[in-house]
Amino acid sequence: MDFINDLNESQREAVTYSEGPQLVIAGAGSGKTRVLTYKIAYLLDQGVPAHNILALTFTNKAAREMKERIGSLVGPENARYLWMGTFHAICARILRQEAENLGFSRHFSIYDTADSKSLIKSICKEKQLDDKIYKPAVVLSKISAAKNSLIDAENYALRPDIDKQNRIDRLYEMAEVYKLYQLRLQAANAMDFDDLLMNICVLFHRQPEVLHYYQDIFRYVLVDEYQDTNYAQYLIVKQLAEPQNNVCVVGDDAQSIYSFRGADIRNILTFQQGYPNARLFKLERNYRSTQTIVNAANSLIHHNENQIFKNVFSEKEVGNRLSVFAYSTDREEASGVASLIKEEIIRDKKLSYDDIAVLYRTNAQSRVLENELRKINIPYRIYGGTSFYQRKEIKDAIGYFRLAANTKDNEALLRIINYPARGIGDTTMRKVSEFAAANNLSMLDVVAHPLEAGFSSSTAKRLADFASMMDHFIDIMETKDAYEFAETVMRQSGIMTAAALDRTPEGIDRKQNLDELLSGIHEFVQQRLEEGISFTPIQDFLAEVSLLTDQDENIQDHTARVTLMTVHAAKGLEFASVHIVGLEEQLFPSQFCQSPAEIEEERRLLYVAITRAMKYCSLSFARSRFTNGSLNFTSQSRFLRDIDRQYLQIANPSSGSARTVAQSFYSTSRISTTPGIPASPGSPNSPTVPASPVSSSSQAPVASDWHAGDRIAHRVFGKGQVLRVYRDESTGNDKIDILFDEKGQKTLLLTYAKLERI
């Protein structure tokens, strides 16, 4: 049992307590996995048989690594018969033995997401439901949420709150689809992933003797990442741990960031209420980060009301303060971060690109970052995602552009002809391909003249309609610049509508990515205008994108790379240097998270981001950002005001305009007078930050033929009224704010606005 000496005092106390319920609150970087691993090793060393220990994790990788580590501590044979795995794996193992009690055979199939979506699609087709509303991803998301809350198909129809939301979403037949889905699964002797959890709960409820059997086996139940459990997982743990209640849950409420997947932070916050005799252990020493990074994160998270208080500390070096950068635009922010990374590599010889990460709130933010990193030849990887221009929705949109620009691009046609769905299937396209090859035609030529290829009248109409739409796009391509053309194509093709109707987290992400693509094209056109190029066709943008993609593909796998990822994907990882971008209202916190509980989760998300950093951490925001194809002014995130000023350094980016913004950032700030103790909100020493990152002096009147109140017309945005004309002194550009009748307020560069007086 010498391995116990590897632990600090707090870790050792948590490991050696083994009788009764215990909650281990493990701060970021405090050795949570080590405690769980050593606790299991300790139980084995104390003579507890391996098969009497159940350890539940959230990833197969975590389970595998823990088991290997336990084997190294007490010997592989001693660890061999542990019940260790993910919730889903352990439940499947039990259900294989008990399936007949639920009307399944032990050889039941497990449907993955693709299988489930395919089944839902066929059900909706049979019921003749609108596939633009009853999208498989949307329907599956709702069914999954119900199952994670242990709401079966019969009770689903009886829930007024669910029925109300489904009516808002126009999913009037949702309850019937759920019912049919479950019947088809049963008929196919199949379960989906959520059934593995739900059916265990059903089994234990219907067959108490089965529950008692497994309660007798599992004398000790241990759970990793308990803050990420949903209601079904909470109930499984509670049922299996009874009556001995030798249950040990390990987690950190400050890192509960997955509510959109069904995780319920109340499970960890109320653990001691559910187990009145539970012992609470706190792991508060952070082994990862410098003292300053830990203190900054503490000062942020202490603003949350719903938490289990802990005082995380570090005994590493004090370290640098977190740098705060304010930029004029999101492109300047990306360029600034790229330059900072270059400077870091030069300044710290021990640092490599692999040691650096850039974290953002949404996947769409990676586009501008990728562009700027490529410009100065910084290699990078997208972690937990795909390069912006390789994402399906982006490739789909660009496929339309490619086909319009090159009608012989058969691969582009195959990609887009049935997206959004037009009833043109694989069999039809095989015939198109064969006829085109036999007659030396492009596939679009065949699609444009389908009767000549022998298609039926109904199929011919669908093909001809697509060809007619593409003809229209080809016609307007020569008269509309790249942005106007892209906006028209994405709207008229149905891509934007399809994305907007999908309200799952994945669907919202896709919509944001498409908006970001339009923003990128708009920015490309604006840059060319500033260079004196009056008209930019879509072909120029496609050439630019293809060059960027080629350069990206030339990066060899062995090359050290900067990691780009969302904060959600970063949980559990660590980097010597972390750059957190986009700290703006409506972005971080997200515009979709505005209730008090959601704001607290967004704050936890930033806490997770900061605590990924070991040595260096920077925070940045842009005072304007291209979104939905237009430049929008932003305000800095409220979370920046939550971080104690003494742990921040208002940095001066190399750009003069960015420096002006940065210097005004904390112009009225006051520093907490008690080192290490964050001032409470509203206290005399609480740091205050201007509502806008730019002082009013950064905008000045400018002489112009246009004045507030003038009625104008713009070739893209239509009619509107001038609000003001001014010079943005941070950039030196003359700008005009216009409230358009249909497009809302826009800010345009006065030089290139091309307005007509009406």
Side-chain angles (χ1 to χ4, degrees):
M1 204 172 71
D2 291 341
F3 58 81
I4 292 295
N5 296 326
D6 297 340
L7 305 173
N8 66 34
E9 184 178 351
S10 297
Q11 293 172 336
R12 190 159 49 247
E13 287 179 357
V15 164
T16 56
Y17 179 81
S18 57
E19 298 300 325
Q22 66 180 123
L23 170 62
V24 181
I25 295 297
S30 63
K32 169 184 64 66
T33 302
R34 165 174 279 215
V35 165
L36 202 56
T37 300
Y38 275 58
K39 186 171 187 66
I40 295 170
Y42 176 79
L43 291 172
L44 293 170
D45 191 73
Q46 294 297 299
V48 177
H51 68 272
N52 289 146
I53 299 173
L54 171 64
L56 296 164
T57 67
F58 274 83
T59 67
N60 290 311
K61 180 182 178 184
R64 183 170 59 252
E65 291 177 351
M66 284 176 59
K67 197 165 188 176
E68 290 173 357
R69 180 60 177 151
I70 292 166
S72 70
L73 293 173
V74 298
E77 281 302 311
N78 289 332
R80 182 177 178 184
Y81 297 105
L82 286 169
W83 282 71
M84 176 175 284
T86 65
F87 274 90
H88 292 89
I90 295 298
C91 289
R93 181 176 172 183
I94 295 174
L95 287 169
R96 293 290 181 199
Q97 300 299 319
E98 310 295 341
E100 291 183 2
N101 288 309
L102 296 173
F104 293 84
S105 82
R106 62 177 302 175
H107 301 295
F108 62 84
S109 300
I110 299 176
Y111 276 16
D112 62 16
T113 300
D115 297 325
S116 295
K117 287 181 179 179
S118 178
L119 177 55
I120 289 169
K121 185 177 181 179
S122 66
I123 290 171
C124 293
K125 186 175 181 179
E126 289 173 15
K127 291 183 63 62
Q128 298 182 326
L129 300 174
D130 188 342
D131 59 5
K132 293 184 177 63
I133 297 175
Y134 288 84
K135 300 176 73 68
V138 174
V139 174
L140 183 59
S141 176
K142 286 183 173 286
I143 292 175
S144 177
K147 290 182 178 181
N148 287 333
S149 298
L150 299 182
I151 302 172
D152 61 19
E154 292 184 4
N155 287 299
Y156 189 84
L158 304 177
R159 290 287 296 266
D161 55 331
I162 294 176
D163 182 66
K164 179 180 179 181
Q165 185 58 53
N166 284 338
R167 288 183 177 277
I168 292 173
D169 296 335
R170 296 188 294 165
L171 295 166
Y172 306 109
E173 300 295 322
M174 184 63 220
E176 182 63 19
V177 172
Y178 183 9
K179 181 179 179 180
L180 287 174
Y181 175 70
Q182 289 305 110
L183 289 173
R184 297 290 175 83
L185 283 173
Q186 185 89 39
N189 191 38
M191 301 182 194
D192 65 18
F193 271 79
D194 296 309
D195 282 327
L196 297 176
L197 303 181
M198 186 172 183
N199 283 342
I200 280 288
C201 295
V202 172
L203 173 68
F204 290 163
H205 177 71
R206 292 181 181 175
Q207 306 286 337
E209 67 280 6
V210 174
L211 172 60
H212 295 156
Y213 171 77
Y214 286 100
Q215 287 173 337
D216 288 340
I217 292 178
F218 302 135
R219 288 176 50 197
Y220 294 89
V221 178
L222 302 97
V223 187
D224 191 15
E225 304 286 10
Y226 190 67
Q227 77 279 349
D228 294 335
T229 54
N230 58 35
Y231 179 66
Q233 291 162 331
Y234 155 80
L235 190 59
I236 290 168
V237 171
K238 186 167 181 60
Q239 289 177 315
L240 288 175
E242 293 176 346
Q244 300 100 327
N245 284 333
N246 289 329
V247 55
C248 171
V249 301
V250 183
D252 183 6
D253 56 291
Q255 298 185 67
S256 179
I257 59 174
Y258 295 120
S259 64
F260 66 94
R261 295 180 185 169
D264 191 340
I265 192 174
R266 292 174 298 180
N267 292 348
I268 194 167
L269 293 179
T270 63
F271 181 84
Q272 291 173 281
Q273 298 175 27
Y275 298 88
N277 298 323
R279 281 278 305 275
L280 173 63
F281 298 86
K282 296 180 181 179
L283 307 181
E284 297 174 306
R285 180 178 175 183
N286 180 298
Y287 288 88
R288 174 187 301 149
S289 309
T290 64
Q291 293 180 34
T292 300
I293 290 173
V294 169
N295 289 339
N298 285 346
S299 69
L300 168 72
I301 202 63
H302 286 168
H303 285 267
N304 273 10
E305 292 185 8
N306 296 306
Q307 63 173 301
I308 299 172
F309 180 83
K310 55 188 173 296
N311 185 29
V312 180
F313 65 94
S314 170
E315 294 184 358
K316 297 186 73 173
E317 67 272 18
V318 174
N320 298 328
R321 289 186 289 175
L322 284 68
S323 299
V324 177
F325 292 91
Y327 296 92
S328 294
T329 68
D330 53 340
R331 183 164 62 85
E332 281 193 16
E333 179 186 44
S335 177
V337 169
S339 297
L340 283 172
I341 291 171
K342 274 288 189 188
E343 292 169 8
E344 281 181 322
I345 293 294
I346 295 171
R347 185 179 66 248
D348 190 338
K349 301 301 182 183
K350 295 181 180 180
L351 210 61
S352 79
Y353 286 131
D354 280 334
D355 299 319
I356 301 173
V358 183
L359 307 183
Y360 37 79
R361 179 63 181 83
T362 68
N363 279 312
Q365 291 171 258
S366 78
R367 178 195 63 81
V368 65
L369 289 163
E370 292 183 63
N371 288 348
E372 296 303 320
L373 290 172
R374 288 186 182 114
K375 285 181 181 178
I376 57 176
N377 298 317
I378 294 179
Y380 66 88
R381 67 169 62 85
I382 304 290
Y383 183 94
T386 309
S387 174
F388 183 86
Y389 290 107
Q390 295 301 313
R391 292 170 185 151
K392 180 185 181 301
E393 60 273 18
I394 302 303
K395 290 175 72 70
D396 289 337
I398 289 177
Y400 280 93
F401 309 159
R402 284 171 47 190
L403 186 59
N406 177 14
T407 59
K408 294 182 179 180
D409 191 338
N410 290 336
E411 290 301 315
L413 182 141
L414 286 170
R415 182 175 193 90
I416 66 174
I417 194 165
N418 201 42
Y419 184 79
R422 300 183 175 91
I424 302 174
D426 293 341
T427 301
T428 297
M429 292 315 298
R430 277 197 298 271
K431 291 180 180 178
V432 168
S433 178
E434 291 168 359
F435 191 88
N439 294 275
N440 196 28
L441 298 169
S442 73
M443 293 177 68
L444 186 58
D445 287 335
V446 178
V447 169
H449 304 91
L451 292 176
E452 296 178 14
F455 287 102
S456 66
S457 58
S458 59
T459 301
K461 184 180 186 307
R462 288 193 288 269
L463 292 171
D465 287 346
F466 175 84
S468 177
M469 179 182 67
M470 288 307 307
D471 283 342
H472 171 62
F473 294 159
I474 293 167
D475 288 341
I476 66 173
M477 184 173 55
E478 300 304 322
T479 59
K480 291 181 179 289
D481 68 27
Y483 171 72
E484 296 170 318
F485 173 78
E487 192 276 336
T488 300
V489 169
M490 292 170 68
R491 176 168 42 82
Q492 294 185 2
S493 66
I495 287 178
M496 296 301 282
T497 300
L501 288 171
D502 186 350
R503 301 306 296 170
T504 63
E506 296 80 10
I508 292 172
D509 204 31
R510 283 191 287 271
K511 175 61 166 59
Q512 290 177 336
N513 288 337
L514 290 171
D515 289 340
E516 182 64 16
L517 175 62
L518 281 178
S519 295
I521 298 173
H522 187 278
E523 182 180 351
F524 181 71
V525 171
Q526 290 296 114
Q527 285 179 308
R528 305 264 289 196
L529 281 172
E530 294 177 4
E531 295 167 2
I533 301 172
S534 60
F535 182 78
T536 299
I538 193 65
Q539 291 93 328
D540 288 5
F541 177 77
L542 291 174
E544 180 84 357
V545 170
S546 65
L547 287 174
L548 293 175
T549 302
D550 289 341
Q551 184 178 350
D552 186 41
E553 290 174 352
N554 287 334
I555 297 174
Q556 299 300 314
D557 289 341
H558 63 267
T559 303
R561 307 186 191 185
V562 172
T563 300
L564 307 184
M565 68 174 83
T566 64
V567 184
H568 282 103
K571 186 170 175 289
L573 304 177
E574 62 184 27
F575 300 89
S577 176
V578 170
H579 300 272
I580 306 167
V581 301
L583 282 165
E584 300 142 28
E585 288 294 305
Q586 305 300 308
L587 181 57
F588 203 161
S590 167
Q591 61 180 314
F592 301 107
C593 302
Q594 295 301 316
S595 71
E598 291 169 335
I599 290 297
E600 290 210 347
E601 177 156 333
E602 291 286 293
R603 189 179 284 111
R604 293 194 294 269
L605 193 59
L606 181 55
Y607 175 85
V608 167
I610 293 173
T611 55
R612 299 311 93 197
M614 302 166 66
K615 194 172 182 180
Y616 308 115
C617 184
S618 78
L619 312 169
S620 63
F621 64 90
R623 59 178 289 267
S624 63
R625 185 173 294 274
F626 272 98
T627 53
N628 300 322
S630 63
L631 185 67
N632 294 284
F633 289 116
T634 64
S635 60
Q636 66 212 25
S637 171
R638 70 192 74 182
F639 298 148
L640 286 170
R641 296 192 293 272
D642 290 344
I643 303 174
D644 195 310
R645 175 66 174 83
Q646 65 183 306
Y647 305 123
L648 299 178
Q649 172 181 318
I650 311 308
N652 290 332
S654 57
S655 159
S657 60
R659 184 183 298 115
T660 301
V661 180
Q663 289 172 338
S664 70
F665 177 65
Y666 266 112
S667 59
T668 61
S669 295
R670 289 181 294 239
I671 302 175
S672 172
T673 57
T674 308
I677 305 297
S680 62
S683 71
N685 292 321
S686 180
T688 58
V689 184
S692 169
V694 183
S695 62
S696 59
S697 62
S698 66
Q699 298 171 356
V702 64
S704 169
D705 293 335
W706 301 106
H707 302 89
D710 288 349
R711 289 289 294 172
I712 59 89
H714 185 272
R715 61 181 183 136
V716 175
F717 302 122
K719 297 178 181 179
Q721 180 173 314
V722 175
L723 297 179
R724 61 175 179 156
V725 184
Y726 59 96
R727 170 160 293 179
D728 184 341
E729 294 186 345
S730 66
T731 63
N733 292 326
D734 293 341
K735 296 182 177 181
I736 182 169
D737 287 352
I738 303 172
L739 181 62
F740 290 98
D741 297 346
E742 296 182 358
K743 298 294 186 178
Q745 184 173 331
K746 306 288 182 184
T747 298
L748 306 177
L749 294 174
L750 189 59
T751 305
Y752 305 109
K754 296 183 180 179
L755 306 176
E756 295 180 10
R757 196 180 302 275
I758 58 174

